[in-house]
């Protein structure tokens, strides 16, 4: 959460949660370190809950370069493309 100064990458509010961009279960199955800081983003509770309930997905555009590098290193770019939309639903 240091990259965002402890603030949610969506709302700018104080972050309550660190979100694993690539899920922990997927990392474990592939032998990828679960707690690699490059696989995390800071989120407020509301944003985190809305993402996991699929009410409002986190857009690809807010993912830091470290997350993109992590995904590429582990051949998981497809996961980002599938679960982090590249355009807003309102467009």
């Amino acid at each position: 959460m240091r990259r965002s100064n402890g603030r949610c990458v969506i709302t700018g509010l104080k972050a309550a949660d660190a979100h694993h961009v690539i899920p922990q279960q997927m990392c474990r199955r592939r032998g990828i370190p679960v707690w690699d800081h490059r696989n995390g983003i800071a989120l407020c509770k509301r944003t985190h809950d809305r993402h996991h309930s699929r009410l409002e997905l986190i857009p690809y555009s807010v993912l830091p370069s470290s997350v993109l590098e992590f995904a590429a290193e582990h051949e998981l770019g497809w996961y980002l493309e599938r679960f982090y939309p590249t355009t807003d639903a309102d467009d």
Side-chain angles (χ1 to χ4, degrees), residues 10-73:
I10 301 295
T11 66
L13 297 173
K14 184 178 179 185
D17 298 317
H19 171 68
H20 285 85
V21 178
I22 306 296
Q24 294 178 56
Q25 183 179 16
M26 181 175 287
C27 290
R28 284 188 190 101
R29 282 195 314 251
R30 293 171 176 258
I32 300 168
V34 172
W35 300 108
D36 189 318
H37 71 278
R38 298 175 300 160
N39 186 32
I41 57 174
L43 297 176
C44 64
K45 180 160 178 38
R46 180 180 184 275
T47 299
H48 203 196
D49 291 346
R50 290 180 65 81
H51 177 76
H52 281 291
S53 64
R54 301 190 61 76
L55 291 172
E56 188 175 342
L57 295 177
I58 298 163
Y60 185 92
S61 61
V62 303
L63 299 177
S65 60
S66 59
V67 169
L68 306 181
E69 292 166 7
F70 177 85
E73 179 181 319

